[in-house]
Amino acid sequence: MSPIGIFDSGYGGLTILHGIRQQLPQYDFLYLGDNARAPYGSRSFEVVYQFTRQAVLRLFERGCPLVILGCNTASAKALRTIQQRVLPEVAPDRRVLGIIRPTAEVIGSLTQTRHVGILATEGTIRSQSYNIEIQKLYPDIHVSGQACPLWAAIVEANEADSPGADYFVKKRIDQLMSRDPQIDAIVLGCTHYPLLMNSIVRHVPPHVRVVPQGHYVAESLVDYLQRHPEMDQRLTKNASCRYLTTESPEKFQENAQIFLHEQVNVQHIDLE
């Protein structure tokens, strides 16, 4: 088996996995959630790098030639260092991709006003990763970020449709729009946030487009495999999907249903 590896600090990466499986159902996948050490959002760059490095190497050991960091914090704080430092030293024939760049690449076609908002964790907002990637590609786009404390926790508590969730969603969207009323596209820069979509759509102005990542990351991966047939040939295609967690398998199964609405078989592993 040579599956595509998907890594996340928690459960949100399951929305990325879902989007990719919709576009590439014939491929094999191995999902790893570092649930025991989540969330990564408030951790330092060095800690996120070390944790992500451990996970990537474990996925390599399990036969993954290609790993997607299905986590915005890991993409923001660890991807570049792993690509520049880890791969050349220990796995020059493997590849690790993130999810911020694919989102940044499409945003230029989704905004008319050239004013874009980012809703994400505190760590992702502080890293300025979206601002850097978007303005590298589209220097004319003005980017405003808004940290959304509690949103991910609300999703994992299965309270996404509760009045409390609605209150916190409205509060952060209002803060973002008051900072820049010209925003006409908002990127959901955390993989948990699509599960709050009902509430988000209710509170954004009618002219504002909401941009979840799963679909665009999947399209970018399809394009990547078309441009790199040598990698595509290394990936096995038995339409299988397996799951690993650093937490209890029972807890993972329970929470995974919130994101996937299906039963999953999961195995416990240690990364340290």
Side-chain angles (χ1 to χ4, degrees):
M1 296 284 283
S2 296
I4 297 172
I6 311 282
F7 168 67
D8 185 23
S9 59
Y11 299 100
L14 293 170
T15 62
I16 300 297
L17 172 64
H18 177 70
I20 293 174
R21 287 181 72 192
Q22 285 188 312
Q23 298 257 10
L24 299 168
Q26 72 275 31
Y27 288 73
D28 296 315
F29 295 94
L30 180 60
Y31 182 91
L32 169 55
D34 189 12
N35 308 90
R37 299 188 294 194
Y40 281 13
S42 58
R43 293 186 184 273
S44 70
F45 273 73
E46 182 59 29
V47 169
V48 171
Y49 164 68
Q50 292 297 344
F51 286 1
T52 305
R53 180 182 183 276
Q54 291 171 351
V56 166
L57 292 178
R58 185 58 55 88
L59 287 168
F60 286 169
E61 289 172 11
R62 296 285 183 123
C64 300
L66 173 66
V67 173
I68 311 297
L69 301 185
C71 172
N72 283 278
T73 302
S75 294
K77 295 184 176 183
L79 175 63
R80 190 175 300 276
T81 308
I82 285 173
Q83 289 174 332
Q84 294 176 349
R85 189 188 304 175
V86 177
L87 295 185
E89 292 178 4
V90 302
D93 63 332
R94 313 281 178 115
R95 293 293 177 266
V96 180
L97 306 175
I99 59 175
I100 292 176
R101 176 81 181 196
T103 314
E105 286 174 344
V106 300
I107 201 66
S109 64
L110 303 177
T111 172
Q112 298 298 316
T113 65
R114 317 308 277 174
H115 288 252
V116 170
I118 311 294
L119 297 171
T121 64
E122 183 182 345
T124 298
I125 295 299
R126 204 182 316 122
S127 75
Q128 295 280 297
S129 294
Y130 274 98
N131 306 55
I132 293 166
E133 288 296 333
I134 290 172
Q135 290 178 338
K136 232 191 273 182
L137 297 166
Y138 307 104
D140 62 316
I141 292 182
H142 178 77
V143 183
S144 300
Q146 174 62 52
C148 303
L150 301 179
W151 280 26
I154 287 167
V155 169
E156 292 198 4
N158 205 13
E159 294 288 339
D161 295 317
S162 68
D166 208 55
Y167 168 81
F168 285 110
V169 167
K170 182 179 187 304
K171 179 177 181 179
R172 300 308 174 192
I173 289 173
D174 287 350
Q175 287 175 331
L176 177 64
M177 294 305 300
S178 66
R179 187 172 299 128
D180 183 1
Q182 293 187 65
I183 288 171
D184 70 345
I186 296 177
V187 174
L188 302 186
C190 173
T191 52
H192 283 68
Y193 296 176
L195 276 78
L196 291 163
M197 187 65 82
N198 290 340
S199 186
I200 291 169
V201 170
R202 202 158 43 237
H203 295 299
V204 297
H207 68 281
V208 174
R209 181 167 189 162
V210 180
V211 184
Q213 293 176 287
H215 172 74
Y216 298 105
V217 170
E219 284 193 337
S220 178
L221 180 57
V222 170
D223 178 66
Y224 176 85
L225 294 175
Q226 288 172 346
R227 289 184 291 106
H228 295 85
E230 74 287 352
M231 175 59 74
D232 186 61
Q233 289 164 13
R234 295 172 63 188
L235 299 167
T236 51
K237 302 172 180 69
N238 302 297
S240 72
C241 190
R242 294 173 292 145
Y243 300 86
L244 305 171
T245 179
T246 56
E247 247 282 3
S248 84
E250 294 77 19
K251 184 174 181 183
F252 185 94
Q253 287 174 328
E254 182 181 332
N255 283 313
Q257 286 192 50
I258 299 171
F259 292 84
L260 298 176
H261 306 292
E262 64 180 70
Q263 282 286 116
V264 302
N265 292 316
V266 59
Q267 175 188 350
H268 174 267
I269 63 163
D270 291 311
L271 292 179
E272 295 182 90

